[in-house]
Amino acid sequence: MATSTKYPSILMFGCPGSGKGTQGMVVGQLPNLVHLAMGDIFRGLDKESDIGKEFLSYSSKGQLVPDELTIRVFRHHVDALIEAGKIDLSYHMLILDGIPRTTQQVELLADVIDVKSVIHLMIDDKDALIARLSKRAKTSGRPDDADVKVIENRIEVYERETHPVLEAYPKKIIARVNADQPPLAVLRDIANCLVGVVSARI
Ligand code: ADP
């Protein structure tokens, strides 16, 4: 794929419950940004389909879906949006939330996405994080958040498999944001990081 046809992307990066979905959704309301959350893409699959069943078999245990399948589903989803005219790569930038989540996914996406910036949402207070995820289980119908063991496993998987993804990108495009703040303060800090990156495209 030629450089010009890669998807221009901003990565929302952080552990489960760091707020990347909430913040990505808000930022994705801006006219030239499109929020794409890999978890939402998976949850949007027909639960009775083979892929839908396979997704549930992993997510219910707090495990990651295999890389090849994840990338196939992601590319299919984005290409369908491009085909339908909902994404125009000369205008839109993608806000990627939850992908790439392993170093193998970084490699599989290397000729597909052009990463302009990585927003690293940093959480220090792990106890507050687990409490927040448990609360989310009650309001958002997320079976993977209902069990503290599954939450702990997801945090472990993040530390082991996802955190190393940061090393794949140059330090100068990684912005660290304190995600232990109230959501509006986190949004302000993200906006400050993105001003130069996004306005350059309008
Ligand atoms: P969270 O960020 O709270 O962990 P997500 O909604 O991003 O939750 O993801 C839910 C589940 O979807 C994950 O636990 C995993 O099973 C699957 N998933 C999402 N993104 C990926 C990915 N990039 N690679 C593999 N599995 C993924």
Side-chain angles (χ1 to χ4, degrees), residues 41-92:
I41 296 173
F42 275 132
R43 282 185 289 274
L45 296 170
D46 177 358
K47 286 188 181 51
E48 299 307 318
S49 68
D50 287 347
I51 304 185
K53 284 184 193 153
E54 201 171 348
F55 160 65
L56 272 179
S57 75
Y58 290 101
S59 65
S60 60
K61 300 189 201 88
Q63 293 168 358
L64 294 180
V65 177
D67 293 323
E68 307 274 350
L69 176 60
T70 299
I71 300 304
R72 193 149 39 90
V73 171
F74 172 74
R75 291 191 67 162
H76 182 267
H77 184 86
V78 180
D79 289 342
L81 289 173
I82 294 171
E83 193 77 13
K86 294 192 173 142
I87 294 178
D88 171 0
L89 293 181
S90 65
Y91 174 67
H92 290 111

Side-chain angles (χ1 to χ4, degrees), residues 20 38-39 43 55 63 65 98 101 105 136 142 154:
K20 55 190 186 329
M38 195 60 221
R43 282 185 289 274
F55 160 65
Q63 293 168 358
V65 177
R101 223 159 161 141
Q105 290 181 15
R136 177 169 91 177
R142 290 272 308 258
R154 285 196 302 133

Side-chain angles (χ1 to χ4, degrees), residues 117-133:
S117 177
V118 180
I119 305 291
H120 182 190
L121 296 174
M122 318 225 345
I123 295 269
D124 278 336
D125 189 345
K126 285 275 148 61
D127 292 339
L129 175 66
I130 292 175
R132 200 193 307 177
L133 284 167

Side-chain angles (χ1 to χ4, degrees), residues 13-16 20 58-67 70 98 100-103 105 126 129 133 144 148-166:
F13 195 88
C15 62
K20 55 190 186 329
Y58 290 101
S59 65
S60 60
K61 300 189 201 88
Q63 293 168 358
L64 294 180
V65 177
D67 293 323
T70 299
R101 223 159 161 141
T102 64
T103 50
Q105 290 181 15
K126 285 275 148 61
L129 175 66
L133 284 167
D144 50 345
V148 172
K149 287 259 166 319
V150 175
I151 293 177
E152 284 170 354
N153 190 41
R154 285 196 302 133
I155 295 173
E156 265 173 52
V157 169
Y158 170 78
E159 299 291 351
R160 191 177 61 240
E161 298 188 45
T162 306
H163 197 262
V165 163
L166 280 177

